[in-house]
Amino acid sequence: MAARYSIPRVFVATDSPGVVEEFRGLVAGLEVAAVPDDLFDRAELEDSIHKCSRKHPHKTDDGTTLEDGCSGNDAWLEHRLGRGYIRGDALAMTTLLDVELMADADAFVGHFGSNLSRLAYMLMAARRRAAPPFTSLDGPWCYHWRMCCDVQAHGRSRVC
């Protein structure tokens, strides 16, 4: 996509440590930008996923919450934020920065199953008054949080 649209710079929005450097190694000739680690510690975010599972190795995501707040579903940022495992101010600021930088891009590659990705893409389209080039890694554009299937040219689809 970068060659097709003459894009010299790529912004990578990620929660995972190491992804930015790994991506730099894969895309020779492109400048790769990301929210700096000193603004948001991706390693701390990654580590917070496993705090409850280390404390309660046999806890499953059965809908119950233990006295210490562990629910068995550590993937949701909201759960980790509520337990104090991550800082809310840093999460909010870097999330807004990620969305703004994604929306300011010339093209989009991401997951349309993500609310933030869809928000960034809608902002891109609104600012340009046209649909920017995109590649979805998980499915077609869908206006809501679930996946849409059988998307037709006029926009009609069904929920998968």
Side-chain angles (χ1 to χ4, degrees):
M1 185 182 292
R4 182 177 200 171
Y5 295 102
S6 300
I7 296 171
R9 186 173 189 213
V10 176
F11 173 73
V12 177
T14 181
D15 295 335
S16 300
V19 167
V20 176
E21 288 308 315
E22 181 182 344
F23 190 75
R24 280 188 177 112
L26 296 173
V27 291
L30 284 178
E31 181 184 347
V32 177
V35 171
D37 286 336
D38 61 341
L39 290 180
F40 192 64
D41 187 349
R42 290 180 182 89
E44 177 187 351
L45 182 66
E46 187 83 8
D47 184 57
S48 71
I49 291 174
H50 307 291
K51 284 188 178 186
C52 278
S53 60
R54 284 193 296 265
K55 288 178 8 184
H56 308 285
H58 302 292
K59 174 75 172 110
T60 62
D61 190 10
D62 57 7
T64 61
T65 301
L66 302 175
E67 288 180 19
D68 62 1
C70 290
S71 65
N73 184 349
D74 294 336
W76 291 92
L77 286 171
E78 294 87 340
H79 294 179
R80 291 180 273 157
L81 190 61
R83 292 182 205 117
Y85 292 165
I86 53 178
R87 289 184 27 228
D89 59 335
L91 178 62
M93 292 304 293
T94 55
T95 298
L96 292 172
L97 185 56
D98 275 345
V99 170
E100 178 58 33
L101 291 170
M102 284 189 289
D104 197 39
D106 295 318
F108 180 84
V109 175
H111 294 274
F112 279 155
S114 160
N115 290 325
L116 290 177
S117 292
R118 287 193 316 277
L119 173 62
Y121 188 76
M122 287 187 288
L123 287 170
M124 289 173 77
R127 290 174 181 173
R128 288 162 185 73
R129 298 179 187 214
F134 70 90
T135 296
S136 175
L137 301 174
D138 60 359
W141 165 260
C142 196
Y143 60 91
H144 53 70
W145 62 272
R146 295 177 71 188
M147 294 305 298
C148 289
C149 293
D150 303 327
V151 179
Q152 299 172 16
H154 52 70
R156 185 171 291 161
S157 63
R158 69 176 178 83
V159 175
C160 302

